[in-house]
Amino acid sequence: MSTSQTEQSDRKKYEFRRVIEDLKEHEGSGTQLVSIYITPEEQISSVVAHVNEEYSEASNIKSKQTRTNVQDALKSIKDRLRYYDTFPPENGMAVFSGAIDTGGGRTEMVTRVLEDPPQPIQSSLYRCSSEFVTEPLEEMLADQGLFGLVVLDRREANVGWLRGKRIEPVKSASSLVPGKQRKGGQSAQRFARLRLEAIDNFYQEVAGMADDLMVPERHEIDGILVGGPSPTKDEFLDGDYLHHELQDKVIGKFDVAYTDESGLSDLVDSASDALADQEVMQDKAEMEEFFAELHGGDLATYGFGPTRENLVLGSVDRLLISEDLREDVVSYDCPESHTDHELVGQRAETPDHTCEQCGSEPVEVEREDVIDHLISIAEQRGTETRFISSDFEKGEQLLDAFGGIAGILRYSTGV
Ligand SMILES: [Zn+2]
């Protein structure tokens, strides 16, 4: 994956996450929030037909209020679907609409369309409920990484993938390795040699199976997990049977009781700690670098003001933003053409503001999400943006101690 694609998908994921957070806060009274998931293969016309059916069925709803709300939601969805041709965008789309409670007995109609999620939508869904159905999209956003899975003992082996949270068994093999009991008449030595040969052959076969599957994907793979009883998995790894580029990607070996397809799930369970570490590994490396610069170098910047200034100067190599940062930035212009920025909570009202430089009262010019604001500058300056999880200590520090915003510089600016 090229850097620009990674960035784009990071940004997209962020946009999705924000819309989902917003949708999750809403509750409808009764079952009147409509969620529709459209797969890439689904024709828009058939979705519209379904919406029309639901619309007529909704006329049977007894409560007038609910009936009106549901029909309004469906009508709003139909209006949105009008913008699409035969098929939805490449990865499908999700549409949400409904009358939400805004307090004091009032409701407001909300419609959100999430086009082209980071991964294709797997199954279509139509649901009318008191909450929007966001789990499939949430899973997709949590869905990080591609891991190769190998489980084996001397009798059988399975290889497959872990994509995000989904386990995909792909191939299996079983061996002709004889048991430990030799038949009468065979010399013990010869028996042992044949047995070792058979084991070696089987390991080669398993490695071949893994190589065929994983070598073509080696640049996308985040790690390989190997499971089995001892000493099989150790022999297999120590014997360097796997292609060397795959061997380098092995992040651990784990004890599992079964080596059939269910062994793949066992393996993922046993490896959960290693997988969690792996997920934040790149984030950890970025934060280590940031702290090293902060304490011993001069290529660290942090906080909204200095980081923004460096971004504008084009001196930021990587912009580090906490995944949990939720703030708006208000940009003010004063009559003396000074520009000021102030961060405010996303629910807070825009505060009164006096120009820091000349004291005159400026007019508000723009209020936007601070992450959108920074990324726009970063994109213009060729700066990469990295979203940093707060699920580890230094990631948490980025949010708590540095306002969720920092950067690693290309050169020192003294800002
Ligand atoms: Zn001013």
Side-chain angles (χ1 to χ4, degrees):
M1 208 184 248
S2 81
T3 305
S4 69
Q5 271 175 322
T6 312
E7 248 175 88
Q8 210 183 15
S9 79
D10 271 353
R11 188 171 193 174
K12 189 159 220 169
K13 279 184 178 174
Y14 170 65
E15 285 167 12
F16 270 64
R17 210 176 291 136
R18 240 179 28 188
V19 173
I20 289 167
E21 272 177 14
D22 195 41
L23 288 170
K24 281 176 77 167
E25 274 172 23
H26 299 317
E27 259 192 53
S29 39
T31 54
Q32 45 180 274
L33 302 184
V34 180
S35 310
I36 299 181
Y37 282 67
I38 306 171
T39 66
E41 300 79 25
E42 221 167 339
Q43 297 215 10
I44 295 291
S45 58
S46 73
V47 181
V48 171
H50 189 169
V51 171
N52 283 333
E53 264 171 49
E54 296 287 342
Y55 189 94
S56 6
E57 246 170 61
S59 59
N60 299 323
I61 297 172
K62 287 201 182 78
S63 146
K64 178 173 181 292
Q65 187 66 54
T66 306
R67 182 171 66 237
T68 311
N69 286 343
V70 170
Q71 290 192 327
D72 284 353
L74 292 169
K75 187 175 172 307
S76 170
I77 288 172
K78 250 171 60 177
D79 287 346
R80 293 299 189 98
L81 291 176
R82 216 168 271 159
Y83 295 104
Y84 299 88
D85 296 331
T86 320
F87 291 103
E90 208 180 329
N91 283 349
M93 61 198 271
V95 190
F96 304 91
S97 185
I100 53 153
D101 243 322
T102 49
R106 264 180 298 235
T107 59
E108 190 193 324
M109 195 65 181
V110 171
T111 302
R112 296 273 184 278
V113 179
L114 286 175
E115 281 187 359
D116 231 3
Q119 288 151 40
I121 288 180
Q122 298 286 332
S123 44
S124 41
L125 175 139
Y126 175 95
R127 182 98 34 92
C128 204
S129 156
S130 59
E131 290 170 354
F132 289 117
V133 179
T134 53
E135 290 78 15
L137 286 173
E138 286 176 78
E139 270 178 28
M140 217 176 261
L141 293 176
D143 204 353
Q144 286 181 337
L146 172 67
F147 294 88
L149 307 177
V150 180
V151 288
L152 79 164
D153 57 19
R154 288 168 176 178
R155 295 256 152 219
E156 69 174 341
N158 269 274
V159 297
W161 294 118
L162 172 66
R163 285 181 206 277
K165 295 191 163 51
R166 207 168 67 242
I167 295 167
E168 293 173 14
V170 181
K171 281 198 253 181
S172 63
S174 47
S175 83
L176 299 169
V177 176
K180 282 182 182 162
Q181 292 300 319
R182 70 190 155 103
K183 290 182 193 117
Q186 241 174 347
S187 89
Q189 237 180 352
R190 180 174 152 74
F191 176 78
R193 186 170 54 76
L194 286 178
R195 191 162 181 275
L196 284 178
E197 258 177 41
I199 291 171
D200 180 64
N201 286 341
F202 184 58
Y203 288 166
Q204 283 185 37
E205 187 189 342
V206 176
M209 204 162 72
D211 287 353
D212 288 348
L213 179 68
M214 295 171 197
V215 169
E217 308 289 328
R218 64 192 181 283
H219 299 301
E220 315 299 327
I221 293 177
D222 296 295
I224 292 174
L225 308 173
V226 178
S230 293
T232 316
K233 60 178 182 307
D234 314 278
E235 285 172 359
F236 179 71
L237 285 173
D238 296 345
D240 286 334
Y241 288 93
L242 281 172
H243 185 280
H244 67 97
E245 283 189 67
L246 297 185
Q247 189 85 19
D248 290 345
K249 293 212 173 241
V250 173
I251 57 173
K253 51 185 181 181
F254 303 89
D255 283 319
V256 300
Y258 301 98
T259 51
D260 56 3
E261 273 188 23
S262 75
L264 296 176
S265 321
D266 276 2
L267 174 59
V268 171
D269 287 345
S270 314
S272 60
D273 286 348
L275 286 169
D277 276 355
Q278 194 71 16
E279 209 167 83
V280 294
M281 208 175 69
Q282 197 192 349
D283 293 8
K284 275 184 176 164
E286 301 280 7
M287 288 312 293
E288 293 294 346
E289 194 179 335
F290 169 76
F291 276 101
E293 285 300 333
L294 187 68
H295 297 308
D298 53 3
L299 297 180
T301 184
Y302 59 88
F304 173 78
T307 306
R308 184 185 184 282
E309 214 174 321
N310 274 304
L311 273 177
V312 172
L313 289 170
S315 60
V316 181
D317 183 50
R318 271 152 295 153
L319 173 64
L320 309 177
I321 293 180
S322 169
E323 261 179 13
D324 295 317
L325 174 66
R326 294 290 178 271
E327 265 180 303
D328 283 345
V329 59
V330 192
S331 308
Y332 301 90
D333 266 344
C334 98
E336 307 290 320
S337 341
H338 301 128
T339 305
D340 252 354
H341 303 278
E342 195 177 350
L343 293 185
V344 295
Q346 295 196 315
R347 277 149 204 282
E349 288 192 20
T350 306
D352 292 334
H353 187 89
T354 312
C355 177
E356 276 183 9
Q357 292 170 69
C358 68
S360 55
E361 273 182 34
V363 285
E364 175 191 347
V365 284
E366 206 184 3
R367 176 170 177 160
E368 65 176 328
D369 184 287
V370 68
I371 296 181
D372 283 338
H373 179 88
L374 293 173
I375 290 183
S376 303
I377 308 173
E379 280 176 349
Q380 287 165 20
R381 300 291 189 274
T383 299
E384 286 178 31
T385 302
R386 304 258 202 262
F387 285 95
I388 307 289
S389 155
S390 35
D391 291 343
F392 63 103
E393 199 191 338
K394 289 192 165 73
E396 211 179 319
Q397 276 181 313
L398 173 64
L399 184 65
D400 296 341
F402 300 97
I405 302 166
I408 296 169
L409 302 177
R410 296 181 174 121
Y411 51 86
S412 170
T413 57
V415 172

